[in-house]
Amino acid sequence: MSEPTVRWVVASESERTLGSITAELGPSAAAALADGRVFVDGRRTLEPGLALRPGSVIEVHRARSAEGEAIVLAERAGFVFVDKPPGMATEPDHAGVEASLVARVARQLGVPRRELHALSRLDVGVSGVVTLARSAEAREQARALREAGAWQRRYVALTSGAPEPARGTWTQALARPRSGRSGPRAERDAATRYAHVGTAGPAFVPARTGNVEMRTALVALGPITGRTHQLRLHAAHAGVPLLGDATYGGPGRLVLAGGVVRPLERVLLHAAWVELELAGERLRVVAAPPADLLALWSDLSGAPAAWAEALESTL
């Protein structure tokens, strides 16, 4: 069975039905219930009237979808959780307005684009969960949850070498990257928890003096702050830039065993899940690791079990 996209733990004093919870999660969850993609405590159920025990775990699995689409994973309490493909901008950019994630999701939901506000902005080239707010109240609630430590995010990345030590917190202060003719920007405090969970390879990075041997690491990342390009910059400052991140020193291609050249066509960073606490209940929304990251890790002979550790390890 695939990993669930949504995991909801019922509050200890709550008296809920399954239908009430899927209704709060929006049409995609209601469709999942009708389609047999909802499980309660590990068992598939199709019954919206099912009474839930305190502590019950509800898991919603996504349908198979075409690659490159923006998929609404869940909705709740004014929040919309979307799986963003790597080639799509979160908000309108030079490629236009209608091609952005926000515009596409607005069309899917049948709401004005101005109604949606991105609470997290993934760069073009980065995939995974983006959280949108549908109201000022939801934006304020997100701010309060973050301040209370009740809003957690998990990213996974492939890096050019393993960080040392194997786990810890990067605290390099960061300045917002310059754009156009803008001058120097003030540095701001930044913090990222990380854990090295697996190593694969070797592979080789082409260089002017010949191919340089390199091991690839699978690293779990948990941002504490939210600076622009924070994870990419912190990894680069730690000497392990992300694969495909040419802006910050990451390799743009690898030479695999047998001489196969693998272009790295995007930053190999994925926003795997977001978890928040609402009214005493924990909601986790998951975007499964994309095929290109899994394929490269496999081609480098990386251990498949490392992905589960990256998603679940404590940072």
Side-chain angles (χ1 to χ4, degrees):
M1 182 185 296
S2 62
E3 287 295 311
T5 58
V6 177
R7 182 182 293 121
W8 179 313
V9 182
V10 178
S12 58
E13 298 180 357
S14 177
E15 294 183 1
R16 308 291 298 276
T17 65
L18 182 59
S20 70
I21 286 181
T22 55
E24 285 191 39
L25 289 173
S28 61
L33 180 61
D35 199 31
R37 294 183 281 111
V38 175
F39 293 73
V40 177
D41 296 327
R43 297 177 65 88
R44 187 194 313 272
T45 180
L46 299 170
E47 298 298 328
L50 178 69
L52 301 172
R53 300 190 304 271
S56 289
V57 178
I58 297 91
E59 295 179 329
V60 182
H61 292 253
R62 70 180 294 172
R64 296 190 185 278
S65 58
E67 186 176 353
E69 295 180 355
I71 304 299
V72 175
L73 300 171
E75 302 172 58
R76 189 193 175 195
F79 298 120
V80 182
F81 304 92
V82 184
D83 188 355
K84 183 185 90 68
M88 188 180 295
T90 301
E91 294 192 331
D93 65 358
H94 64 280
V97 172
E98 296 306 315
S100 69
L101 177 82
V102 170
R104 293 186 185 208
V105 173
R107 289 198 297 272
Q108 288 184 40
L109 299 180
V111 301
R113 181 170 57 85
R114 63 180 179 275
E115 184 175 313
L116 298 178
H117 177 83
L119 300 174
S120 55
R121 293 173 175 84
L122 299 184
D123 302 328
V124 173
V126 178
S127 57
V129 181
V130 173
T131 306
L132 308 175
R134 293 190 61 167
S135 64
E137 292 77 13
R139 295 198 295 272
E140 176 60 24
Q141 185 173 28
R143 183 196 62 77
L145 289 169
R146 285 169 170 160
E147 290 183 354
W151 183 294
Q152 304 294 327
R153 292 174 291 162
R154 174 63 52 88
Y155 291 71
V156 291
L158 296 182
T159 65
S160 50
E164 295 182 358
R167 62 174 57 238
T169 303
W170 291 323
T171 56
Q172 172 76 38
L174 302 174
R176 184 180 178 89
R178 295 176 60 181
S179 60
R181 297 183 179 180
S182 60
R185 299 175 183 264
E187 290 187 336
R188 303 173 66 189
D189 291 340
T192 303
R193 297 189 184 96
Y194 72 91
H196 169 214
V197 299
T199 302
F204 298 89
V205 179
R208 290 182 179 180
T209 57
N211 290 340
V212 177
E213 184 174 320
M214 183 200 73
R215 296 276 179 172
T216 295
L218 180 60
V219 178
L221 300 166
I224 300 172
T225 55
R227 310 302 180 215
T228 301
H229 295 183
Q230 176 176 312
L231 304 183
R232 297 164 60 186
L233 282 164
H234 269 166
H237 281 299
V240 289
L242 306 188
L243 298 191
D245 193 359
T247 300
Y248 297 119
R253 57 179 177 159
L254 296 179
V255 180
L256 307 183
V260 175
V261 178
R262 176 66 62 83
L264 304 175
E265 298 177 345
R266 67 151 173 132
V267 180
L268 297 188
L269 175 65
H270 177 68
W273 55 254
V274 61
E275 183 173 287
L276 55 155
E277 297 176 16
L278 293 170
E281 299 178 324
R282 295 194 313 277
L283 173 66
R284 177 181 289 191
V285 182
V286 180
D292 59 338
L293 269 71
L294 295 174
L296 180 59
W297 185 250
S298 176
D299 289 345
L300 292 167
S301 300
W307 285 100
E309 185 176 352
L311 296 177
E312 300 299 337
S313 63
T314 300
L315 298 182

